[in-house]
Every structure is written in C-alpha cells, then in structure tokens.
Amino acid sequence: MTPKIKVVVVDDSALVRSLLTQIINQQPDMTCVGAAADPLQAREIIRERNPDVITLDVEMPKMDGLEFLSRLMRLRPTPVVMVSTLTEQGAETTLKALELGAVDFVAKPRIGVSAGLQELADDIVDKIRIAAKAHVRRLTAAPVAAPAAAPSNPAAAASSTPTGVASGTGLLRLSTEKVICIGASTGGTEAIKEILVELPSDAPAVVITQHMPPGFTASFAARLDSLCRIRVAEARDGERILPGHAYIAPGGRQFSIARSGANYIAVVDDSPPVNRHKPSVEVLFRSCARVLGPNAIGVMLTGMGGDGAQAMKEMRDAGAYNIAQDEASCIVFGMPKMAIQVGAVHDVLPLKQIARAIMERVAASGVRHRI
C-alpha cells in the first residue's frame, strides 16, 4: 500500500488551518500530520513529523512566511505550496516565493474564506500531490534582486550579453521569421527566467504560455522585463510579434499566433480551457505548427501533465526544431516527458543549456546573413 502524503499546514488563521486540515484529511492519499499558527511552531512540527509537503501562508506573526521559506529551503528543502491572500493581492510576493523554491501557489479568497476554500479544494489537493513528487533543491544563496528598471539604452543592453550566448549584433542579421515557442507549468516561472535572461537583445521573438491564473502574469512579465535584454510583456490581442520581444499569455486567457500579411500577430481571446488549462500550451503550440512551420523553435519546460505534447508533435511534423528540458533539471518532469514520449522532441537538454542551443540553431539557420 502506498504511504499517504504527509502534510503540515502553516497559517495564522485558526479557521484556515481547520479547513485545510479537513480538506487534506478527506483525501484517501494524504493526511495532515500537523498544523501550526506561526513558523516557530511549524519548525518543531516539521522536525518531529518530517512532512512530504508544507502549505504555507505568507503573512504570519513572529516570522514572515517568505523568510521562513528561505530558511527552510536552505536548511531542510521540502516541497511547499503557498496558500495566502497575499498571493492574490500582491503577485510580487508569489513570484518571490517561487523564486525561493516554492513549488506552486493557491490564492485563498479575501472574503467568504470558508466557502471559497471548499471551492478550491480540488485545486489545493492536486497541487499538494504534484508538490509531493517535485524535485526541490537546496537554496544555496539569496536570489539576485532585480534591477530597478530594464536597460533603457539598447546599445548598452546589447553590449552586456550574458555568458555563454553569442550576441547577433555585428555577427548576424537574425531572421525575423524565426520564433521561439515556450510552454511550461509547475516550476516554469524560474525556468523561463533562466532562458530569457540568457538571450541577446536581438534574439528572435519569443511566445510563452505558462500556466498561471489571472492577476499574476502582468507582474511576471514586468519582473522578467526588468531582468532581460529582450523586452517582455503580456501578449495583447492584435499586436505584432517582433524580434527582441517576448510575449506571455495573460492568465485566464488563451494565446495563439496568426499571420497578417508578412507579419505574425498575437491572438488573445476568451475561448474555453483546453486540457483544463487557460492559457493552454496546446493552443499556442498548435497555432505555431500551423502558422510558423519550420520557422518555429519549440521548448517544453517543467510542468505536470501533458498539455502541449500533441501540439508539439504537430510542430515537429510541420518542420519545427523542438527541445525538452531534461528530468534532472525539472521541478516536475511531466510535460517534457509526455512530449518526448509522443515523438515531438529533437533534443533533451539541461535547463542551463537550452538558451545556447536555441541561439546556435538560430545562427545555423541564418548563416547566409553573416556580414
């Protein structure tokens, strides 16, 4: 018999602790082994019960939840699902938690907490199950803070190329036809960041679907824009897809691309969920197969499930070059694994090698443009 997932709940609200404990204990495959009102109590319970997963609030007495998370991931790495109203009101807090090593998050309602948490019960326990299988890593140092603003001088941005990726400036006139197409879910926010910060300012356009609810993708895009040499923003319906820019599917909307004359344009709409996701990688990748064909470079990153796998196979069949993140560097090896299994992938690479592989592919395809 498979052992139950042991969960510790950390929240300063007695009502939330009770509700989460009840939701967890109603599941046949998990049990709440302890509940704590603050990080100091949690520390003792975690030592005694050795949980598989921790649900963690952000705003608590005696120690801020993010500070507790940082210490936990340095000293005793454990899968964490953030459950907090602050994750809904302040997406920056959520992104910081994910940066520190949290596997995922659930935004509890600001009003009607009891009914709201019951409505979220399926989502909460699904994310606990995913977290229990996640590959968490020890936090070795505090993450580097983002600069106050994105580089405003394009020449300066182009001259400060990240280590390992050759800039196209002065070497290549990169094809405006190439588009980098990225899909990700659990663990994807940090994986996407690691790739985008390595791309030079004249990289091909990047289109991205990261499973994320409404209210979070704007902050995610702004954070990336402050860190990257390319410009990063939420996709807007009807805008041109341009080199040197990355476009992120808005939470709660579907994102695809279309052709308008010689240009690629973004299509953002309110069409239904696909594979239970909105935005869905399947929607974006299927449009990339149809519109881009061999001009697409597909990248499947960490995430649970199989969203996008079949559409990535369609991309390959249409001539795209596709990469999957390898298991060792994934938080959850679900989406890349499915893409590999259906024959959609040309190369399986560690996360740290993907940006270089993308730009080498672009350079090879644009060799005739050397000047």
Side-chain angles (χ1 to χ4, degrees):
M1 183 176 178
T2 305
K4 290 187 176 185
I5 300 167
K6 298 184 295 181
V7 185
V8 165
V9 172
V10 187
D11 198 294
D12 67 333
S13 164
L15 173 60
V16 172
R17 291 198 304 275
S18 175
L19 289 169
L20 288 176
T21 298
Q22 181 182 351
I23 289 168
I24 291 164
N25 286 337
Q26 286 173 345
Q27 307 305 309
D29 59 341
M30 62 184 68
T31 180
C32 182
V33 296
D38 62 64
L40 299 184
Q41 291 181 13
R43 185 171 58 190
E44 298 306 315
I45 294 172
I46 291 166
R47 284 174 179 168
E48 293 175 6
R49 307 294 170 82
N50 193 28
D52 301 304
V53 179
I54 298 167
T55 70
L56 178 63
D57 192 8
V58 172
E59 192 174 49
M60 291 181 296
K62 300 184 181 178
M63 184 188 295
D64 174 76
L66 291 180
E67 174 61 25
F68 176 68
L69 176 63
S70 178
R71 295 187 184 187
L72 178 74
M73 299 311 291
R74 286 198 307 268
L75 302 174
R76 191 191 184 103
T78 305
V80 172
V81 176
M82 305 302 294
V83 185
S84 173
T85 51
L86 285 182
T87 57
E88 186 172 74
Q89 296 169 358
E92 286 298 324
T93 304
T94 301
L95 294 171
K96 183 65 175 178
L98 296 172
E99 186 178 7
L100 290 170
V103 173
D104 212 333
F105 66 94
V106 176
K108 65 188 177 187
R110 286 168 286 188
I111 56 175
V113 173
S114 181
L117 278 179
Q118 290 296 340
E119 290 177 5
L120 290 169
D122 288 346
D123 195 28
I124 292 167
V125 296
D126 280 349
K127 291 188 175 186
I128 289 172
R129 290 186 183 103
I130 293 169
K133 299 176 182 178
H135 303 131
V136 296
R137 296 170 181 82
R138 188 177 301 276
L139 186 66
T140 56
V144 177
S152 57
N153 182 341
S159 66
S160 52
T161 304
T163 302
V165 177
S167 170
T169 306
L171 296 175
L172 297 173
R173 193 180 300 117
L174 297 179
S175 168
T176 58
E177 292 297 303
K178 290 293 181 184
V179 178
I180 302 161
C181 314
I182 298 177
S185 187
T186 311
T189 56
E190 290 304 295
I192 290 167
K193 180 186 78 173
E194 185 149 340
I195 291 173
L196 295 195
V197 298
E198 290 291 325
L199 296 181
S201 59
D202 55 0
V206 187
V207 292
I208 301 166
T209 290
Q210 159 72 47
H211 294 161
M212 194 173 272
F216 294 91
T217 43
S219 291
F220 179 44
R223 173 173 174 259
L224 290 174
D225 190 57
S226 74
L227 294 169
C228 297
R229 288 158 179 80
I230 60 173
R231 303 312 306 264
V232 186
E234 276 190 316
R236 295 177 298 174
D237 187 50
E239 71 179 324
R240 281 186 62 192
I241 303 294
L242 297 171
H245 291 68
Y247 306 85
I248 297 176
R253 307 279 283 178
Q254 295 291 15
F255 173 38
S256 58
I257 63 171
R259 184 182 285 276
S260 177
N263 301 317
Y264 301 129
I265 61 169
V267 179
V268 178
D269 59 39
D270 199 29
S271 53
V274 173
N275 297 329
R276 300 192 307 155
H277 295 293
K278 188 177 179 180
S280 165
V281 180
E282 194 83 10
V283 170
L284 177 61
F285 279 12
R286 183 161 290 136
S287 72
C288 293
R290 183 177 64 251
V291 174
L292 298 173
N295 288 322
I297 298 174
V299 182
M300 189 71 84
L301 299 176
T302 174
M304 189 69 179
D307 184 37
Q310 291 297 333
M312 196 178 207
K313 178 62 164 59
E314 293 176 19
M315 289 175 64
R316 177 168 181 163
D317 292 343
Y321 166 73
N322 293 336
I323 300 169
Q325 184 179 350
D326 74 349
E327 183 172 9
S329 64
C330 281
I331 298 297
V332 180
F333 188 54
M335 287 163 56
K337 181 179 180 180
M338 287 297 296
I340 294 165
Q341 286 180 347
V342 301
V345 175
H346 293 87
D347 287 320
V348 181
L349 299 173
L351 179 60
K352 291 185 180 298
Q353 295 180 20
I354 292 177
R356 173 185 284 276
I358 290 169
M359 294 311 298
E360 286 177 349
R361 186 73 182 184
V362 171
S365 66
V367 67
R368 65 186 181 278
H369 297 300
R370 288 187 182 275
I371 58 175

